[in-house]
Amino acid sequence: MLETNIEALIEQGLSAASSPVFSANRIWARHSNEKADVARTLARVIRTLSKHAPLSRPLRALSIGCGNEPQFRLLQATFEGGIWLYDLDQGALDAVSERVGRQMIEGVETVQGDYAADFSDREAAEAVLRAKLGGRPFDLITLHHSLYYSPPSQWRPIVETLYRTMLAPTGAIHIALMSPAAHGEGSNNWLYNHFAEKYFGHVNDQDLGALKAQLGDDSHFTDAQILSKTSEVRFFVDDFAAYMAPVWMVLLYPSVHPFTVDQRRQITRYVLETLWLRNRPLTEVIDHLVIYRGLPSQGLI
């Protein structure tokens, strides 16, 4: 009987592999403290910007790779000059647009685009800024868990382009990303390294610490404050299919790693028996990187 129940749960976990990324992200946001963690740092960034921005100038924000769960309430309430939500996933943008219409919210624009291409160099970014983003630079640019979808070799030119082309003379870029330093068995980083290496020979090399070091040596950032910190968040839900949906998102299935049916079954059984049936939460160590421009004093992170 127990094995029958195990197999039924495995089928539920396998079915979650077909969940859209924005749906998995919504589950993660609802049953973890990750959004609150990112919002805490974001609020400190906004507090810093508000101190130095003229009260007569409404602030503008750009959320890149926003998904359907951007820091929406905080951004919309603070950035009266408008917020632009930029994502490749039209389904995620449609979910945001439905909410904007239902709640009759003003000052929100959704834009579909591929940040890795659109912000790859200054000329491309300037064209996008004119055509899609209102033509004026932003006080705040966020990349919250969106750099996963480009290789680290592209990060420096993307961030440099955003800093030089899209950011206001006094502004900030806030980046949040899973840390490669977490090695505990219940961590998302461990799950990714274990299964991506086992089946594809790949481990997590996406390191904001390395990006910080690169930017510190870049002459384009000599006037910048580049700050970092690390935090930890936890996730658990008593529905196994819902528990598995963010696991598939973390494993970048199917966009990056096309695990076979047998591989997906092995992953699901492992997560079920090692973590979920033991009521163990998933954990994620998050690296935060904040790049301030034009501040006369120390910024917060």
Side-chain angles (χ1 to χ4, degrees):
M1 184 66 176
L2 178 61
E3 185 62 27
T4 301
N5 291 338
I6 291 292
E7 289 304 316
L9 287 168
I10 287 175
E11 291 303 318
Q12 293 176 27
L14 287 170
S15 70
S18 61
S19 300
V21 171
F22 73 85
S23 177
N25 188 48
R26 177 178 289 173
I27 293 169
W28 174 264
R30 184 173 183 180
H31 297 281
S32 77
N33 61 327
E34 185 263 330
K35 292 299 177 184
D37 174 80
V38 173
R40 186 174 299 110
T41 299
L42 180 58
R44 292 173 67 82
V45 173
I46 293 172
R47 182 183 177 192
T48 300
L49 294 177
S50 298
K51 177 181 178 181
H52 299 290
L55 292 177
S56 59
R57 180 169 62 82
L59 301 179
R60 289 161 43 89
L62 171 65
S63 177
I64 299 174
C66 62
N68 67 315
E69 284 286 343
Q71 297 293 339
F72 191 85
R73 293 177 178 84
L74 185 55
L75 292 176
Q76 196 274 332
T78 307
F79 291 85
E80 297 181 47
I83 58 174
W84 275 255
L85 307 178
Y86 190 95
D87 203 297
L88 183 62
D89 187 346
Q90 187 60 51
L93 295 175
D94 289 343
V96 174
S97 295
E98 186 278 331
R99 177 178 172 185
V100 168
R102 170 167 41 84
Q103 297 181 335
M104 295 171 285
I105 297 172
E106 297 180 350
V108 179
E109 301 288 339
T110 58
V111 181
Q112 185 181 32
D114 180 356
Y115 75 82
D118 292 346
F119 305 131
S120 59
D121 58 59
R122 191 163 188 169
E123 183 177 355
E126 287 176 345
V128 171
L129 181 63
R130 290 192 302 268
K132 298 182 178 181
L133 300 175
R136 293 187 290 117
F138 296 91
D139 300 277
L140 172 71
I141 299 172
T142 66
L143 293 122
H144 293 163
H145 298 285
S146 49
L147 286 183
Y148 298 122
Y149 303 99
S150 59
S153 60
Q154 293 183 6
W155 292 358
R156 180 172 172 174
I158 289 171
V159 173
E160 179 186 320
T161 297
L162 293 173
Y163 185 82
R164 298 178 64 196
T165 307
M166 313 290 287
L167 194 64
T170 300
I173 300 173
H174 177 206
I175 307 172
L177 198 70
M178 181 174 73
S179 173
H183 301 295
E185 190 176 26
S187 73
N188 285 342
N189 186 61
W190 185 92
L191 286 172
Y192 179 85
N193 285 342
H194 181 75
F195 290 111
E197 182 175 31
K198 180 178 181 179
Y199 298 125
F200 297 100
H202 192 271
V203 295
N204 182 18
D205 60 353
Q206 298 186 320
D207 186 356
L208 284 186
L211 176 62
K212 180 184 180 182
Q214 293 173 13
L215 299 180
D217 293 332
D218 190 325
S219 61
H220 295 108
F221 293 87
T222 54
D223 62 341
Q225 291 183 34
I226 306 175
L227 310 176
S228 63
K229 72 175 185 181
T230 298
S231 57
E232 183 176 287
V233 301
R234 294 158 62 89
F235 165 89
F236 189 84
V237 58
D238 58 9
D239 180 308
F240 184 59
Y243 189 93
M244 280 300 300
V247 172
W248 298 120
M249 179 176 67
V250 167
L251 294 178
L252 302 180
Y253 172 84
S255 59
V256 177
H257 300 308
F259 298 101
T260 67
V261 173
D262 184 61
Q263 290 167 353
R264 296 200 300 274
R265 184 171 292 277
Q266 291 181 45
I267 292 167
T268 303
R269 180 178 287 274
Y270 179 88
V271 173
L272 174 67
E273 296 179 347
T274 305
L275 300 174
W276 190 79
L277 286 176
R278 299 181 183 183
N279 292 316
R280 293 177 60 186
L282 295 176
T283 61
E284 183 166 293
V285 176
I286 298 177
D287 288 335
H288 296 263
L289 183 66
V290 178
I291 306 162
Y292 286 111
R293 181 181 191 179
L295 293 190
S297 60
Q298 184 70 18
L300 297 175
I301 185 170

